[in-house]
Amino acid sequence: MTSPTRDPAPTGVLAPPDPALARLKRRVTMASLCVALALVALKIAAAIMTGSVSILSSLVDSVSDAGASLVTLLAVRQAMRPADAGHRFGHGKAEPLAGLFQSAFMIGAAILVLAEAGSRLAEPQPIRFAVEGVWIMSISLVMTVGLVLLQRKAVRMSGSLAVDADSMHYTSDILSNLAVIVALVAGFSGLNWADPAIGGMVALFLLYSAVKVGRNSVSVLMDQELPESDSQRIIELTMKNASVIGIHRLRTRSSGVHRFAEIELIMDGGMLMRESH
């Protein structure tokens, strides 16, 4: 008994990725990885010099960002591959899968920072080389803002979930860098408790961001329906065809940058099969 024949590749099902958007996403993810590695180097130096738990929290965040950015780089390249015989709907779900890994990175980082912050709150310690720490964190802040602006542009143009998740990491970095600078300045006044307290708040924000990224990624992986506004737009466009009497069923889902809709149409029963197709 022979197996049913299959087409070597899907035709008319999924449009190939836009080359310009593919290049943009690859460049943005590569820039993200390079910035993450530079931030890790800067913050390692700052953490060793100052002994600050808030800088340590920002360092752990940057280390997780570097790992997540590497995952994102690989996921984006996979997701932009065109559909083939084994993956009729493309490879778009590589992106929300990367988002799920990023969420795990962030949760782990947040737990580590919270533990360290609690220890330092119990036994506050003075910050060394606070001025140098402020300069290093200021440089980190400028680099992070530039990267986030680039990522936001890429997300608007491509709708990439992986780049969006990566951008959320670096947006939290902006807030954490500002918080660390405040902690270092507070150290000048002898407020040693401010450093671990702010480090703990940064960790809580990381935890919140991680849960949000994870929920968005799981929604896509579980084939959650598109927003109601998108479904209504699909119905409106379908009903513009004069041969369509009504819609029996509409099912939608997303896979990375691609959106899919399966529609069961109600048509005139007297139509020829060829005409209905």
Side-chain angles (χ1 to χ4, degrees):
M1 181 175 179
T2 59
S3 300
T5 59
R6 300 182 63 185
D7 296 333
T11 58
V13 174
L14 187 64
D18 187 329
L21 290 181
R23 286 194 299 271
L24 174 62
K25 290 167 69 174
R26 283 194 294 267
R27 289 171 182 171
V28 169
T29 51
M30 181 60 73
S32 174
L33 180 59
C34 292
V35 169
L37 293 175
L39 291 175
V40 167
L42 285 172
K43 292 177 183 179
I44 285 176
I48 293 174
M49 289 172 57
T50 64
S52 166
V53 69
S54 58
I55 291 181
L56 178 62
S57 70
S58 188
L59 168 62
V60 172
D61 185 21
S62 293
V63 170
S64 69
D65 283 347
S69 293
L70 178 59
V71 172
T72 301
L73 177 64
L74 298 176
V76 164
R77 290 188 175 184
Q78 178 74 9
M80 294 307 293
R81 290 174 54 194
D84 54 37
H87 304 85
R88 298 290 176 127
F89 293 96
H91 302 78
K93 286 196 175 180
E95 292 198 20
L97 187 60
L100 201 58
F101 277 112
Q102 290 172 345
S103 176
F105 278 131
M106 294 173 72
I107 290 174
I111 292 174
L112 289 175
V113 172
L114 283 171
E116 182 64 20
S119 175
R120 291 292 186 91
L121 276 173
E123 298 180 10
Q125 299 178 14
I127 299 175
R128 307 182 303 272
F129 300 103
V131 175
E132 290 80 358
V134 169
W135 276 107
I136 292 176
M137 294 308 300
S138 298
I139 294 171
S140 300
L141 179 62
V142 172
M143 293 174 63
T144 305
V145 169
L147 177 61
V148 168
L149 292 176
L150 181 62
Q151 289 175 324
R152 290 289 91 199
K153 177 181 178 181
V155 171
R156 285 194 302 270
M157 295 179 64
S158 67
S160 169
L161 285 173
V163 175
D164 189 31
D166 211 27
S167 179
M168 287 186 64
H169 288 184
Y170 290 100
T171 300
S172 70
D173 273 358
I174 293 175
L175 298 177
S176 68
N177 288 342
L178 287 171
V180 170
I181 292 173
V182 170
L184 293 174
V185 172
F188 294 149
S189 304
L191 302 176
N192 295 330
W193 57 266
D195 179 50
I198 288 177
M201 287 189 290
V202 170
L204 289 174
F205 182 80
L206 282 173
L207 198 57
Y208 166 78
S209 299
V211 172
K212 187 174 182 179
V213 170
R215 287 180 62 184
N216 291 341
S217 299
V218 169
S219 294
V220 176
L221 290 171
M222 295 297 292
D223 288 334
Q224 180 172 308
E225 287 281 323
L226 296 179
E228 184 64 25
S229 58
D230 290 352
S231 296
Q232 288 300 320
R233 180 60 177 159
I234 292 170
I235 293 172
E236 291 171 6
L237 292 172
T238 303
M239 294 304 298
K240 285 183 178 180
N241 190 310
S243 300
V244 177
I245 298 175
I247 296 176
H248 176 64
R249 180 183 298 168
L250 169 64
R251 294 188 296 179
T252 63
R253 66 186 180 91
S254 64
S255 178
V257 298
H258 302 293
R259 306 290 183 266
F260 298 96
E262 297 178 11
I263 310 173
E264 294 182 14
L265 301 177
I266 301 174
M267 307 183 78
D268 186 351
M271 292 178 65
L272 294 176
M273 184 66 72
R274 181 176 60 224
E275 293 173 344
S276 64
H277 275 293

